[in-house]
Amino acid sequence: MEDDGLRRRGAHHHERPEVDDDDHESSSLLRHAPSRGSHAEHDKEEESICTSTISEGVRSLSRITNQIKDIRVEDVYRYWSIFQNWLYEVPTMARSWSTYIPVGSISSFNFLKPPELTPEQEQLLAEFVEKNVGISYTHESHFHLLTKLWELSFPNATEKPEQHDPMWKRMGFQGNDPATDFRAAGMLPVLCLTFFAEAYPDKYMELLKRSNGKSAEESYPFACAAINVVYMLTDIMKLKSTTGNSASLQEAASMRANFVKMLEKNEKAFMELFCVVFLFLDSEWVRTNATYMQFPIVLKTTREKTCAALRSSGAKSPVSVADIMGIELFDE
């Protein structure tokens, strides 16, 4: 009993009031505050830290220099492309971060918000969507357009395919009935491909020829690729669907704002954008020496590059988007 009592009294005698970590740190700093005599030692310590930091920086620079020596030309292109994409992403990242800014201070960050459309722009966009997006393809209503596209693609052909014909595979459709492939994007791809063939015939024929490679493994499906591009453009701008998280909806709003400004100046702006994006997809296919099985990877890269370009403040017209994406619409 006596030992227990001594232990309790001893514990009470040595008991200290609890302090917060911040108070403890403050008191610790006070206890170890340098005296006047220790200023010289403190300066030496700072000088040592500075020297160490500079040395580490020099070593890092040396490592980077050695890595640069080993970089191949195609790697330089890839890294530069990644850096460009990052630059285009900055406004989007800023808008995403704005969701974490307190509501009371958000008015100071209006530049982070996607620009709002005027009533006239809203109407123009709605009219474009109503006339072009989500319109189902039917042979009864649109087969004459598809026949015209065949004639533009194969002007010297003596035969024309029927509605259900194996000849359609020559253009890059997956089966004998093109209507099956048009389910994803409707009849808009027919209009876009026809515009491409008429506006840029040399580029169009170059892509069509390249899509029919030496072997099936070296080729990509021309018509299906075009359908994917059209669907991608309508999807990333949310022209028909408005579902998605807040970040993707903000990105789509920014792209729509740029697109509708193009549409105000050129009613064929979407067709022009289609040509630019399709040309980029083809150039990426060539640059990466892709095969048929790698087509989804090429399509993913194309989507990322297109999103970045359309969100850019420099996306004033399809031509400026082509410049951002590194595409030449006309041969020099």
Side-chain angles (χ1 to χ4, degrees):
M1 293 295 293
E2 183 179 355
D3 291 341
D4 292 339
L6 287 173
R7 280 198 297 270
R8 284 196 295 270
R9 285 195 298 273
H12 179 75
H13 178 73
H14 292 93
E15 190 177 70
R16 294 181 180 179
E18 294 183 359
V19 296
D20 293 338
D21 290 339
D22 291 342
D23 294 338
H24 177 72
E25 184 178 352
S26 300
S27 61
S28 176
L29 289 173
L30 287 172
R31 287 197 304 272
H32 294 88
S35 62
R36 294 183 179 179
S38 64
H39 280 313
E41 294 180 3
H42 182 65
D43 292 341
K44 287 182 180 179
E45 183 179 353
E46 285 190 342
E47 182 179 352
S48 175
I49 294 173
C50 183
T51 303
S52 176
T53 303
I54 293 174
S55 299
E56 181 59 32
V58 171
R59 285 193 293 271
S60 298
L61 183 60
S62 177
R63 286 194 297 270
I64 294 172
T65 304
N66 291 332
Q67 291 172 357
I68 290 175
K69 291 178 182 178
D70 298 329
I71 290 179
R72 298 170 298 177
V73 175
E74 54 267 31
D75 290 332
V76 173
Y77 178 89
R78 181 164 61 88
Y79 292 141
W80 173 245
S81 179
I82 292 172
F83 178 66
Q84 280 186 313
N85 286 341
W86 181 84
L87 288 178
Y88 298 142
E89 288 285 349
V90 169
T92 301
M93 290 189 292
R95 280 190 288 271
S96 298
W97 295 338
S98 69
T99 58
Y100 300 101
I101 299 174
V103 176
S105 60
I106 194 66
S107 58
S108 303
F109 296 87
N110 287 331
F111 69 94
L112 298 176
K113 297 180 179 179
E116 295 183 0
L117 303 184
T118 65
E120 294 77 15
Q121 290 174 330
E122 291 278 8
Q123 182 178 355
L124 179 63
L125 187 61
E127 290 175 353
F128 170 81
V129 172
E130 184 180 1
K131 292 179 181 178
N132 298 281
V133 182
I135 307 300
S136 299
Y137 172 90
T138 63
H139 285 313
E140 292 75 19
S141 302
H142 308 115
F143 186 70
H144 68 285
L145 298 174
L146 196 57
T147 301
K148 178 183 178 181
L149 180 61
W150 176 272
E151 294 171 350
L152 290 169
S153 303
F154 307 105
N156 299 323
T158 56
E159 294 183 77
K160 296 179 183 179
E162 301 294 332
Q163 292 182 1
H164 299 78
D165 199 311
M167 292 173 66
W168 288 116
K169 293 181 181 179
R170 185 180 173 189
M171 191 182 285
F173 290 100
Q174 296 184 82
N176 299 339
D177 185 7
T180 303
D181 292 335
F182 286 130
R183 288 174 183 170
M187 52 81 66
L188 186 54
V190 182
L191 299 179
C192 289
L193 281 171
T194 302
F195 174 85
F196 192 4
E198 292 179 331
Y200 310 101
D202 293 339
K203 293 286 188 183
Y204 178 88
M205 296 306 295
E206 181 182 344
L207 266 63
L208 179 60
K209 181 180 179 181
R210 183 155 43 241
S211 67
N212 291 276
K214 297 178 181 179
S215 65
E217 181 64 17
E218 297 175 349
S219 306
Y220 65 83
F222 181 77
C224 289
I227 293 170
N228 272 280
V229 169
V230 171
Y231 177 80
M232 178 190 70
L233 283 170
T234 59
D235 182 52
I236 62 177
M237 290 191 285
K238 305 290 184 187
L239 294 183
K240 200 69 176 177
S241 172
T242 56
T243 59
N245 57 47
S246 59
S248 66
L249 292 176
Q250 283 186 335
E251 292 172 5
S254 297
M255 287 185 272
R256 282 198 306 273
N258 284 338
F259 169 63
V260 76
K261 291 175 183 177
M262 300 180 201
L263 204 57
E264 287 177 316
K265 301 174 184 177
N266 180 3
E267 63 179 7
K268 300 293 185 180
F270 187 92
M271 316 294 180
E272 294 278 6
L273 286 175
F274 164 82
C275 297
V276 171
V277 177
F278 200 177
L279 284 167
F280 179 84
L281 181 146
D282 180 76
S283 68
E284 187 68 11
W285 174 274
V286 173
R287 186 186 70 81
T288 58
N289 195 28
T291 63
Y292 182 85
M293 297 303 294
Q294 294 170 321
F295 181 76
I297 300 175
V298 174
L299 191 63
K300 181 176 182 293
T301 302
T302 302
R303 183 186 181 96
E304 293 171 351
K305 189 74 173 183
T306 303
C307 287
L310 285 178
R311 288 196 303 264
S312 170
S313 59
K316 306 293 185 182
S317 68
V319 174
S320 63
V321 173
D323 290 339
I324 293 172
M325 298 181 73
I327 294 300
E328 293 287 343
L329 287 173
F330 298 98
D331 292 325
E332 296 182 358

